[in-house]
Amino acid sequence: MSDELFYARPGPITPVAGIGQNILVWRLKHYELFRVQFREGLPPSEPLMRDFGAIAAGATSAGNSLQAELEMPDFQLGQFRVYPLEDLRVTIWLPRSVGRYQVKNTVAQVTAFTPIYDPCLHTTEFFIFEDTWPYLDVMNPRALGYTLTRVVFYGFKYVLERIGTFEEITQVSLPYAAVVSEGY
Amino acid sequence: MTTQRTGIRIPTARVNIAAAATPTLVHTIPAGRTAVIRKILFSELAGIAGDIQIGHGAAATYVQDIPNIDAPANLTGILEADEIPAREFLPSPAGTTTQDIYVRTTMSTNLDIQLEVEEFGA
């Protein structure tokens, strides 16, 4: 597997695979191997921006489904980076019961300070396969209530052709770029 | 993609404020965006000194957001971003006023004002 095929690479977001190349998707404790048929960018724009509305000082808006913005069609994979436009602390759950960016005892968040330490946002990168869209908890850390609480997503999408399903990664003999879609 | 928080610069129309204490709409912020004033240009045409008051909300809902700006009689003025108190215009917590920027004066004066704002959004 080429080092160039890793995702979450430092720098501007780049596709993990080209047309005709393979993507290995980790989904719920098994691996699914796909070949890329088509690839397209998803620019940061209002349709991929979610406004969670008013959030009181110190309060959290929890369990927000991002189906309307991020659900992918059948056999399509979305590669996304994320940033908030307001001073917010965003926790991503994908699927709903599993936190992205988790360590043993806690789950990291995407905040307004994330672009300061990670200007290209590569540490926020995550993947959505078909209908496994994320849920977001959005927290207002300030002593002042917000009325506008926006989070923006952008990245790439891939149209895929299934090659096979594997229980162990050692069973995969073809070259691939490995990504995590859900679980872990 | 770099994620410095930069927006797009939008000039407003030149708006005349003819009567004292009457908030006049200077800039409408599109839904889903916030705005910061980066430049203020004004000219006092009536020979009457007064203060410029920038805020949000029309008529009785007007709230001043930036301290008074002195507008001497028969003079023009320009304020750049560093000279303007920081204030990001966004929906009011009360939900009754708009995101739009309104300007009024403290005294009866014929004042022209034009703003340049930076809008943030996606």
Side-chain angles (χ1 to χ4, degrees):
Chain A
M1 179 171 60
S2 167
D3 286 346
E4 294 182 353
L5 298 181
F6 284 121
Y7 76 97
R9 276 178 281 161
I13 187 171
T14 53
V16 294
I19 295 174
Q21 293 184 316
N22 302 325
I23 297 179
L24 186 69
V25 182
W26 166 258
R27 298 186 63 215
L28 298 174
K29 301 185 179 180
H30 66 269
Y31 299 91
E32 296 188 30
L33 186 64
F34 301 92
R35 180 174 296 114
V36 177
Q37 294 182 317
F38 179 74
R39 187 185 74 200
E40 186 175 61
L42 300 173
S45 54
E46 197 276 339
L48 295 185
M49 179 189 78
R50 174 71 172 269
D51 175 13
F52 297 91
I55 301 179
T60 298
S61 174
N64 297 282
S65 168
L66 270 292
Q67 179 182 9
E69 292 82 6
L70 300 182
E71 182 182 9
M72 301 300 295
D74 290 347
F75 285 102
Q76 290 196 22
L77 178 74
Q79 173 189 6
F80 293 98
R81 293 185 182 181
V82 55
Y83 62 96
L85 291 178
E86 272 69 53
D87 184 7
L88 304 168
R89 294 178 184 167
V90 179
T91 306
I92 299 178
W93 303 91
L94 179 67
R96 186 164 189 174
S97 59
V98 180
R100 291 293 91 207
Y101 326 128
Q102 64 172 290
V103 292
K104 182 176 181 181
N105 298 315
T106 189
V107 176
Q109 297 169 319
V110 182
T111 74
F113 292 90
T114 301
I116 296 176
Y117 308 116
D118 176 18
C120 60
L121 294 170
H122 71 284
T123 56
T124 72
E125 196 163 302
F126 65 94
F127 287 81
I128 295 171
F129 181 71
E130 293 185 340
D131 55 359
T132 56
W133 58 84
Y135 288 77
L136 264 61
D137 291 350
V138 182
M139 187 258 182
N140 172 7
R142 293 294 181 187
L144 181 68
Y146 290 151
T147 55
L148 192 67
T149 51
R150 300 167 295 173
V151 178
V152 183
F153 302 86
Y154 66 99
F156 291 92
K157 78 166 194 181
Y158 307 85
V159 179
L160 305 173
E161 170 191 10
R162 186 185 302 275
I163 297 175
T165 301
F166 305 88
E167 296 299 321
E168 301 289 338
I169 199 169
T170 52
Q171 299 172 332
V172 185
S173 60
L174 298 174
Y176 55 82
V179 303
V180 175
S181 168
E182 52 188 302
Y184 228 105
Chain B
M1 169 179 151
T2 58
T3 51
Q4 300 166 298
R5 195 165 181 268
T6 57
I8 56 174
R9 296 291 187 103
I10 310 270
T12 70
R14 183 172 180 157
V15 175
N16 180 260
I17 304 172
T22 301
T24 305
L25 177 65
V26 176
H27 182 62
T28 301
I29 306 172
R33 294 186 185 180
T34 59
V36 175
I37 298 175
R38 293 305 188 194
K39 192 176 296 181
I40 302 171
L41 302 99
F42 60 91
S43 63
E44 202 292 310
L45 306 174
I48 304 172
D51 289 336
I52 300 169
Q53 297 176 322
I54 299 175
H56 67 277
T61 64
Y62 173 82
V63 175
Q64 184 173 350
D65 294 309
I66 295 177
N68 287 2
I69 297 168
D70 184 32
N74 293 322
L75 288 178
T76 61
I78 178 170
L79 295 177
E80 302 283 354
D82 291 344
E83 302 166 304
I84 302 171
R87 186 357 175 135
E88 185 168 353
F89 289 85
L90 68 167
S92 162
T96 58
T97 57
T98 70
Q99 300 185 70
D100 305 331
I101 299 175
Y102 282 77
V103 179
R104 68 179 189 183
T105 61
T106 56
M107 296 178 64
S108 177
T109 181
N110 197 348
L111 180 80
D112 279 4
I113 189 164
Q114 186 173 16
L115 306 177
E116 181 183 289
V117 301
E118 183 170 357
E119 289 187 354
F120 301 98

